[in-house]
Amino acid sequence: MLHHIDRAGLQIAPELVAFVEEQLLPGLPVTPEAFWRDFAALLRELAPENRRLLEVRVEMQRRIDAWLTASRDQPWDNAAWQGFLREIGYILPEGPAFTVETGPADPEIAAVAGPQLVVPVTNARFALNAANARWGSLYDALYGTDALPGAPAGEGYDAARGAAAVAKAAAFLDTALPLSRGGHADVTGWRVENGAAIATVAGADMPLADPAQFAGHAGEGERRSLLFRHNGLHIELVFDPAHPVGAASPSGLRDVVLESAVTAIQDCEDSIAAVDAEDKVLAYANWLGLMKGDLAETFEKGGRQLTRRLNPDRSFTAPDGSTLTLPGRAVLLVRNVGHLMTTDAVLLGGEETPEGLLDAVITVAAAMHDLQKTDGPRNSRAGSIYVVKPKMHGPEEAGFADRTYAAVERMLGLPHGTVKLGLMDEERRTSANLRECIRALKDRIVFINTGFLDRTGDEIHTVMQAGPVLPKAEIKDAPWLAAYEDGNVDAGLATGLPGRGQIGKGMWAKPDAMAEMLAAKIGHPQAGATTAWVPSPTAATLHATHYHLVNVAERQQELATRERASFDALMTPPLMGRRNLSEAQIAREIDLNCQSILGYVVRWVDQGIGCSKVPDIHDVALMEDRATLRISSQFLANWMLHGIITEAQVEDSLRRMAVAVDRQNAGDPAYRPMAPGYDGPAFMAARDLILKGAEQPSGYTEPLLHAWRRVAKAA
């Protein structure tokens, strides 16, 4: 049993008390006594409502299961299905048209279209890398990835590959920053004259096709840079003839630097493994360091010790001679946990309290340090705190989030509306009522997005009793998914989100497949999304090129007039029907999903790693977090429930795939093999996630993962 310290009728883990009283509150206009007193009052007010909303989820799912079970042998009737969902309040009436009324937000949130990083806040190095990914070298991103065919030759600098990167960057500049005539590959020099940037091509002066794109310059002599703006994003040309790359360029151009991750989500949820007060305090301390601006991480690289800190702002001389200061870091949002989980870090009456309420109070208080700054770099120049709230089911839960953060604002003495919220459209009941969810948050919403994996996990769990679902890869082609993706953008446009907040799309899961990403992910801005998730700073720089190729604001105007996405398609579950699969197809699906589950869970449970590159069954590295796990475990649970596969087949595959995962992790000295015992907490967690998947609340993985991680930590 944990030892707790009493504060204002709460029993609090000592690590959390020390963090709040010694790190969080000093410098804020809130005393420890007032903090704990008001937090206790907030919990007494809101925790019962949190519990009631979870009970509503359970009751709705119970009624859905009963209806689907009774209808299982009948042909699918989508009209009857929707009628039933309306009858039980799952689908709600849609109110009159409205426009969101969110107060001022930073332009990176409200107006600028660009990439977004999501990183585990418990890893300080990753957290700093994401914050500093506001600017990235296009030359490096091309040279060091498969965005260019092949790989660097030899151990040193490959001049031929460098030249290929320079050529590709020049072709990009011809599109984003065109000259009045000629191309960037032919430029032999640049100068600034009378507030204009002028290139030299074939001995002649060559202005930009649009001179207004020139935004400023910095440095002197040959080591200098020129700054340009296109589609709201900046492009910096860096000159240094003494550098090997610059020496090979007729103009001395050493690099093309792109404004890349304009925003980044510091994650307290799916990408971390936080199961107790110790873990939560680590997450909170790193977020506090980001908000104070003093987070630092020292590590060894190439035999040298390096210390990473937040980048400073960047200064340029504007065309009119004034000073132009640009942020050196992404604008940071923090993702809190959803409504489901409770925490033993704070007890009320001996009972665990909602973890989401603890996240709300601590992360908002930490961000107050940023709001109090009067000079130097700030996260929000608009005076806002940005919180992403995941895994909400429908408008009532969205309204509860609105009331929660309003209560936190009152508790901490913040003006109403200081906290701006991001709504993740990743649960089926939210998708079905998205406009009403947005209405419930209309005074503070700044973000909506789609996430295929969690949304599919909830899709499978909701219709678990209807019958077997399609093979996992085929679910992506089912009609509901296109309606979901389009409907999300439709709702954002119809409710006036452009100019006030972001419309986002999900993660690119293959961090080493940048050529494939460049070919595919341009679809996100083309779909009207102002941002989309990327797995690394390098990916952010490459994805930034898409926002130069597509003017998202213009694209949104085009899409605003299209026919609304089909609600019938959205509500049609991806069922397999009477189709028969071969034994080989079935065996392959079992192995693919068991391997994926084990590969992720073994790191989560044994090492506390919530997000990492996990090799798939073909040894292709994929970025995985709990959303990946949710869909895989729910898929297998569904097939087992309907007799497509057996428990014995699952057990056999888990054991064979455990051997494969052990092999894939053989080079990790911290790794604990699952075979031949097959009885460690990681293996048992993976097994439970499948065999007990149908009974997990909304198909979430957190309850089982947390339980087995605690077993592993205790051992």
Side-chain angles (χ1 to χ4, degrees):
M1 185 69 181
L2 290 175
H3 169 67
H4 285 82
I5 297 173
D6 188 81
R7 291 284 192 274
L10 301 174
Q11 297 79 52
I12 309 160
E15 303 99 319
L16 183 59
V17 171
F19 168 75
V20 168
E21 298 182 1
E22 298 169 17
Q23 297 181 56
L24 178 66
L25 295 183
L28 297 182
V30 182
T31 65
E33 295 76 15
F35 180 89
W36 296 120
R37 179 196 67 219
D38 293 344
F39 183 38
L42 183 146
L43 286 172
R44 292 188 179 96
E45 174 191 356
L46 296 177
E49 177 69 359
N50 195 313
R51 284 194 297 272
R52 185 191 70 79
L53 291 170
L54 297 178
E55 290 166 0
V56 169
R57 291 186 192 178
V58 172
E59 176 60 18
M60 277 200 176
Q61 189 62 52
R62 184 194 67 77
R63 296 180 70 177
I64 288 170
D65 287 347
W67 191 90
L68 291 172
T69 300
S71 309
R72 190 181 298 160
D73 295 330
Q74 304 298 319
W76 182 257
D77 186 337
N78 213 34
W81 168 235
Q82 291 181 46
F84 165 72
L85 294 179
R86 293 182 194 280
E87 177 186 318
I88 67 172
Y90 186 102
I91 300 174
L92 297 170
E94 194 168 285
F98 70 98
T99 299
V100 299
E101 299 173 7
T102 307
D106 290 271
E108 293 90 337
I109 299 284
V112 178
Q116 187 169 69
L117 278 165
V118 186
V119 293
V121 73
T122 46
N123 187 312
R125 184 174 172 186
F126 290 178
L128 288 163
N129 286 347
N132 290 339
R134 178 65 175 258
W135 300 88
S137 165
L138 181 58
Y139 281 4
D140 287 351
L142 293 169
Y143 180 91
T145 70
D146 72 345
L148 288 179
E155 295 184 2
Y157 175 64
D158 179 351
R161 186 171 179 84
V166 169
K168 190 156 186 173
F172 161 74
L173 292 174
D174 288 342
T175 299
L177 200 65
L179 304 174
S180 55
R181 280 186 294 108
H184 281 265
D186 302 319
V187 173
T188 57
W190 283 91
R191 73 179 190 278
V192 176
E193 187 176 285
N194 297 324
I198 301 172
T200 303
V201 178
D205 288 350
M206 198 61 59
L208 296 169
D210 179 6
Q213 285 191 281
F214 179 53
H217 59 95
E220 296 180 354
E222 293 183 321
R223 299 185 67 177
R224 61 199 174 95
S225 67
L226 300 178
L227 184 73
F228 304 88
R229 187 184 297 110
H230 180 242
N231 287 354
L233 294 172
H234 291 92
I235 302 170
E236 184 183 18
L237 304 186
V238 181
F239 300 89
D240 183 2
H243 188 277
V245 176
S249 165
S251 66
L253 182 63
R254 178 178 68 82
D255 204 354
V256 175
V257 175
L258 301 185
E259 195 171 17
S260 300
V262 292
T263 57
I265 296 175
Q266 300 287 338
D267 190 20
C268 298
E269 196 229 5
D270 264 7
S271 69
I272 71 170
V275 303
D276 53 28
E278 176 189 31
D279 296 335
K280 296 297 290 186
V281 165
L282 174 60
Y284 296 151
N286 284 350
W287 173 245
L288 176 63
L290 291 167
M291 292 297 96
K292 285 184 172 180
D294 60 7
L295 183 65
E297 178 77 354
T298 299
F299 57 95
E300 188 172 299
K301 186 174 183 179
R304 294 189 304 147
Q305 273 212 334
L306 302 174
T307 298
R308 187 148 295 160
R309 295 182 173 86
L310 289 169
N311 286 342
D313 286 342
R314 299 160 65 92
S315 289
F316 299 86
T317 300
D320 64 3
S322 63
T323 298
L324 171 66
T325 301
L326 296 177
R329 304 149 314 284
V331 171
L332 303 180
L333 307 87
V334 62
R335 182 162 67 171
N336 289 179
V337 302
H339 296 323
L340 175 67
M341 296 299 290
T342 58
T343 177
D344 63 1
V346 179
L347 305 179
L348 176 61
E351 299 292 329
E352 293 189 1
T353 56
E355 186 179 351
L357 298 181
L358 178 63
D359 270 9
V361 169
I362 300 293
T363 60
V364 170
M368 289 172 65
H369 288 275
D370 177 66
L371 300 187
Q372 292 185 164
K373 294 174 184 173
T374 56
D375 56 12
R378 296 182 63 179
N379 183 57
S380 172
R381 301 176 305 285
S384 293
I385 298 168
Y386 301 107
V387 178
V388 176
K389 190 67 177 176
K391 293 183 172 58
M392 293 193 288
H393 295 242
E396 191 178 19
E397 293 195 12
F400 176 67
D402 180 65
R403 293 192 298 280
T404 293
Y405 290 92
V408 172
E409 289 167 340
R410 291 193 299 273
M411 171 183 164
L412 298 173
L414 293 170
H416 182 79
T418 299
V419 180
K420 310 294 196 298
L421 286 184
L423 168 69
M424 296 190 65
D425 176 12
E426 57 187 354
E427 307 299 324
R428 199 173 189 274
R429 186 151 50 110
T430 291
S431 299
N433 303 281
L434 182 56
R435 298 185 193 210
E436 293 308 301
C437 292
I438 296 172
R439 189 193 304 273
L441 295 169
K442 66 182 178 64
D443 295 331
R444 61 174 82 242
I445 191 163
V446 289
F447 167 96
I448 60 172
N449 81 329
T450 55
F452 162 74
L453 293 170
D454 260 314
R455 179 63 180 76
T456 304
D458 194 50
E459 183 78 23
I460 296 172
H461 188 83
T462 302
V463 300
M464 181 69 71
Q465 299 296 332
V469 296
L470 291 166
K472 196 168 74 174
E474 295 181 30
I475 292 176
K476 294 180 180 179
D477 298 321
W480 75 269
L481 183 58
Y484 162 62
E485 293 285 356
D486 290 346
N488 181 277
V489 174
D490 291 346
L493 298 180
T495 57
L497 209 53
R500 294 179 177 88
Q502 296 176 311
I503 299 175
K505 295 293 182 187
M507 179 65 76
W508 178 257
K510 302 177 183 178
D512 299 327
M514 292 294 96
E516 188 180 350
M517 186 196 79
L518 282 170
K521 208 167 175 69
I522 194 170
H524 285 159
Q526 288 172 337
T530 56
T531 193
W533 289 357
V534 287
S536 68
T538 296
T541 297
L542 293 171
H543 185 41
T545 63
H546 291 144
Y547 297 90
H548 292 281
L549 299 174
V550 179
N551 186 314
V552 176
E554 292 179 358
R555 181 62 181 145
Q556 288 181 336
Q557 290 176 356
E558 296 170 1
L559 294 171
T561 61
R562 73 179 172 187
E563 185 177 346
R564 184 170 174 175
S566 169
F567 190 76
D568 281 345
L570 177 69
M571 301 309 295
T572 302
L575 300 176
M576 193 161 58
R578 299 184 182 278
R579 173 180 164 194
N580 292 317
L581 300 175
S582 70
E583 291 184 7
Q585 285 176 300
I586 293 171
R588 175 179 171 78
E589 289 290 336
I590 301 172
D591 284 354
L592 282 171
N593 286 279
C594 283
Q595 187 277 339
S596 173
I597 291 168
L598 288 164
Y600 176 71
V601 168
V602 71
R603 295 180 182 180
W604 207 104
V605 170
D606 283 351
Q607 299 182 42
I609 298 173
C611 180
S612 64
K613 290 200 295 187
V614 178
D616 70 5
I617 201 168
H618 304 297
D619 293 325
V620 175
L622 301 176
M623 290 298 294
E624 298 205 358
D625 65 8
R626 286 204 301 260
T628 321
L629 180 63
R630 186 182 182 192
I631 181 176
S632 296
S633 58
Q634 286 299 292
F635 171 75
L636 290 178
N638 171 268
W639 273 22
M640 194 166 66
L641 177 69
H642 294 287
I644 304 296
I645 61 178
T646 66
E647 182 174 331
Q649 286 176 299
V650 170
E651 296 274 16
D652 174 69
S653 179
L654 283 171
R655 290 183 175 234
R656 287 185 292 102
M657 292 303 106
V659 173
V661 171
D662 287 350
R663 172 188 58 77
Q664 290 173 324
N665 288 275
D668 180 359
Y671 182 80
R672 288 179 286 193
M674 292 178 283
Y678 309 113
D679 57 359
F683 185 86
M684 298 305 293
R687 182 179 181 274
D688 277 357
L689 284 161
I690 301 168
L691 301 187
K692 299 178 180 179
E695 64 196 60
Q696 295 309 299
S698 303
Y700 290 133
T701 62
E702 290 94 312
L704 290 172
L705 282 178
H706 280 226
W708 283 109
R709 171 66 180 153
R710 288 182 174 188
V711 170
K713 289 188 76 171

